[in-house]
Amino acid sequence: MTRPIALTMGDPCGIGPEITVKAYADPRRRPPVVVIGDPDTLARACRVTGTGLTPRPISTVAEAVHSPGVMDVLPVGALPADLPLGTVDARAGAASFHYVRRGVELALQGEIRALTTAPINKEALGLAGLPYPGHTEILAELSGTGDYAMMMANDELRVVLVTVHQSLRTALDSLTTARELEIIRLTHRTLLSSRGKGERPRIAVAALNPHAGENGLFGREDLDIIEPAVRAARREGIDASGPWPADTVFMRARAGEFDVVVAQYHDQGLIPVKYLGLEHGVNITIGLPFVRTSVDHGTAFDLAGRGTADHTSLLTALHHADELAPPPASEPEDTRGLHLHAHP
């Protein structure tokens, strides 16, 4: 049996368990999957969604049977029976962290082909004493990765972020030419391995200020920070250009002029991707020593317990993980390079 993909069920109080069982039961799911989470919570999600699955606790990945109607679950800890749905809870935040930690351990040990994650809640993590701004930072720390970034991708657009989960003020203050160049290089390496020999990815770098600063009239960050990084990247043979005005660069990339856009801060890059449809977006952490994909939406506490949450993004994330992971029969490969495809 091919090594499976591990799927963490996310925050137990949100829609994570429900979209997990829906994606697991979906006949379009291709790769074998083991779920990391709480069997009782997943059993409740199976009842709410009517999937007909039966969670089966296993102690190791090797015990998974991958049988129809059975969901192989690696339990991590135990959740209290009174854990309320649709609320921010420290116990749920701690549990969601432990699921991710177990997934990273399995990935580093080579027991799984890739890791896919359902959404977690930053406030719940904070209440649990885990001051992480999101999945990306957790994964980087647990895997000992220093050079990493978040890529959001769908069938029409790819975006890599220079700054991620922080206030806009601190994001602007943290922009440096060195960080800009680091992200351009990482984006180049990531896409280069998925393309034909000698076919360099076309990287557009989004400007920070309106109209790319109008030669300093609207701020000098584009002239003094971003433009030098682009020039340095080009001297290294990277096909980078910019800074381009952010109000048009994403449209140009969607039209095929660029392969990816490097965006300066969270909302600048994610609004264009998410506007094209949450259901088809995938969050990919680039730079890790293993493949990791996720949904491009949050825990949606307002929908928890209804059984109506759309699992399409999670299913797409599983399909991306399946394609990005090293082939089953091959020797271990460097998974820092990603091959991105469109998916149904």
Side-chain angles (χ1 to χ4, degrees):
M1 174 65 68
T2 299
R3 284 180 303 150
I5 291 170
L7 169 58
T8 60
M9 78 172 197
D11 190 300
C13 294
I15 62 171
E18 294 169 45
I19 62 174
T20 293
V21 301
K22 282 186 170 184
Y24 197 100
D26 195 306
R28 295 172 294 176
R29 173 177 65 87
R30 296 191 298 266
V33 171
V34 294
V35 176
I36 303 174
D38 178 68
D40 291 338
T41 300
L42 291 164
R44 179 175 62 183
C46 289
R47 292 191 296 270
V48 168
T49 58
T51 59
L53 289 173
T54 300
R56 172 180 176 266
I58 56 177
S59 58
T60 66
V61 172
E63 293 178 9
V65 295
H66 306 292
S67 297
V70 175
M71 181 168 55
D72 297 301
V73 181
L74 284 165
V76 178
L79 291 174
D82 64 345
L83 194 65
L85 290 177
T87 61
V88 178
D89 193 291
R91 297 167 294 179
S96 65
F97 171 80
H98 293 312
Y99 303 151
V100 175
R101 183 169 64 182
R102 181 63 176 137
V104 171
E105 292 171 351
L106 293 172
L108 294 177
Q109 293 164 3
E111 296 187 44
I112 58 174
R113 296 180 59 228
L115 179 65
T116 297
T117 58
I120 59 176
N121 184 271
K122 301 171 186 63
E123 186 178 354
L125 287 173
L127 290 176
L130 298 162
Y132 294 99
H135 263 125
T136 303
E137 295 78 9
I138 294 174
L139 293 160
E141 180 175 303
L142 293 178
S143 65
T145 302
D147 189 5
Y148 64 91
M150 176 190 291
M151 174 187 285
M152 297 296 287
N154 57 30
D155 294 348
E156 302 180 72
L157 189 61
R158 299 172 192 156
V159 175
V160 177
L161 301 178
V162 177
T163 62
V164 189
H165 296 121
Q166 56 193 111
S167 73
L168 183 56
R169 168 57 57 202
T170 60
L172 300 183
D173 291 341
S174 67
L175 291 176
T176 65
T177 299
R179 175 61 176 167
E180 202 80 30
L181 180 57
E182 176 184 307
I183 295 298
I184 295 171
R185 287 168 173 163
L186 180 57
T187 302
H188 172 76
R189 292 197 304 269
T190 297
L191 270 66
L192 185 64
S193 64
S194 68
R195 306 171 69 83
K197 185 176 180 180
E199 187 181 357
R200 298 179 301 165
R202 300 163 298 168
I203 302 171
V205 180
L208 175 67
N209 296 305
H211 302 192
E214 289 281 13
N215 290 317
L217 182 64
F218 302 149
R220 294 196 55 86
E221 291 87 354
D222 296 293
L223 286 173
D224 297 342
I225 297 175
I226 300 175
E227 189 174 315
V230 173
R231 289 199 305 267
R234 293 188 66 85
R235 287 195 298 268
E236 296 177 8
I238 298 173
D239 187 0
S241 62
W244 298 108
D247 58 356
T248 55
V249 70
F250 299 99
M251 175 186 65
R252 294 168 64 184
R254 186 185 180 196
E257 188 174 346
F258 306 113
D259 297 305
V260 62
V261 178
V262 170
Q264 302 306 317
Y265 56 91
H266 186 280
D267 285 9
Q268 183 190 60
L270 298 199
I271 287 174
V273 176
K274 293 188 177 186
Y275 181 76
L276 295 174
L278 288 173
E279 66 276 12
H280 297 296
V282 177
N283 181 334
I284 303 167
T285 306
I286 62 176
L288 296 174
F290 53 85
V291 169
R292 179 264 177 169
T293 65
S294 189
V295 295
D296 70 347
H297 58 75
T299 48
F301 285 141
D302 57 320
L303 298 179
R306 299 184 185 181
T308 59
D310 190 339
H311 67 286
T312 307
S313 180
L314 186 58
L315 183 66
T316 305
L318 284 170
H319 288 170
H320 271 287
D322 186 37
E323 291 197 352
L324 301 178
S330 71
E331 293 298 321
E333 298 177 0
D334 185 352
T335 56
R336 290 174 174 80
L338 305 182
H339 188 48
L340 302 178
H341 281 289
H343 293 285

